[in-house]
Amino acid sequence: GDRRRRHEVRRVGRGVVERDVLPRHEGGLERLAGLRGRREDLRTLVPDVASFVYAASEATYPLSRAMLLELAKTFSGIVNGGDVVDSLEGKWLERSFPGRLAVTPILKGAAEQVWTEAQKIQAHVRLFDAIASVRQIDVADAASLLFHALVAKDGQRLLRCARIIETIDEDAVTKA
């Protein structure tokens, strides 16, 4: 009990976070933000922007800017997706490698703590559509597509994924 709680706080304080040690209760994301010592809080974001961050936290692989812009379009309260992505970068999104952004490690999987199963499934549908909207994807993106289609429990998206995977450049597969 008490000893484990101190262990969780120490691990979070060092920035080493694993899902299995994170507290699982209502408002878990705000608690995690507090443990991390962040001055910002997701409560300061407008609801659709916060939902965008939660959805992005379900991504299995960092997203390109084009993918994030497509994801932003799915939230009616986000009018200028590029501005939103730019404002989130550094606080909630970070560059994981060239041309790719991911939620900060403290937020990875955050939707699991605050969203219903139906909301998480909708996030996977949105992520699938955002990734699929990009003309050329690499092998890691294809794996993400497959994962999001399966978690969304969406047969049509699963078939679409198979068609997209068929079009992946053979050189990209060889390099992977």
Side-chain angles (χ1 to χ4, degrees), residues 21-121:
V21 298
L22 299 177
R24 297 196 185 273
H25 57 78
E26 193 77 24
L29 188 56
E30 288 129 17
R31 176 158 169 68
L32 290 177
L35 291 172
R36 179 84 160 115
R38 290 186 178 272
R39 292 191 180 124
E40 303 87 13
D41 190 345
L42 274 178
R43 291 178 294 152
T44 64
L45 300 176
V46 296
D48 276 344
V49 174
S51 292
F52 169 77
V53 173
Y54 286 131
S57 79
E58 291 295 296
T60 58
Y61 186 71
L63 302 170
S64 69
R65 183 174 182 84
M67 293 171 192
L68 286 166
L69 294 177
E70 286 298 319
L71 181 61
K73 284 182 189 178
T74 67
F75 295 92
S76 61
I78 298 178
V79 178
N80 299 313
D83 291 340
V84 169
V85 170
D86 291 343
S87 72
L88 295 173
E89 191 173 347
K91 296 177 205 170
W92 310 112
L93 297 174
E94 64 184 14
R95 294 212 176 269
S96 49
F97 41 89
R100 298 293 180 135
L101 291 167
V103 295
T104 57
I106 196 78
L107 297 177
K108 190 71 183 149
E112 185 175 318
Q113 300 185 22
V114 294
W115 271 0
T116 65
E117 190 64 28
Q119 287 172 305
K120 289 184 283 187
I121 287 172

Side-chain angles (χ1 to χ4, degrees), residues 131 137-147 161 164-165 168:
I131 296 166
I137 63 171
D138 62 23
V139 175
D141 292 324
S144 291
L145 269 180
L146 179 59
F147 174 81
C161 179
I164 290 169
I165 289 173
I168 294 177

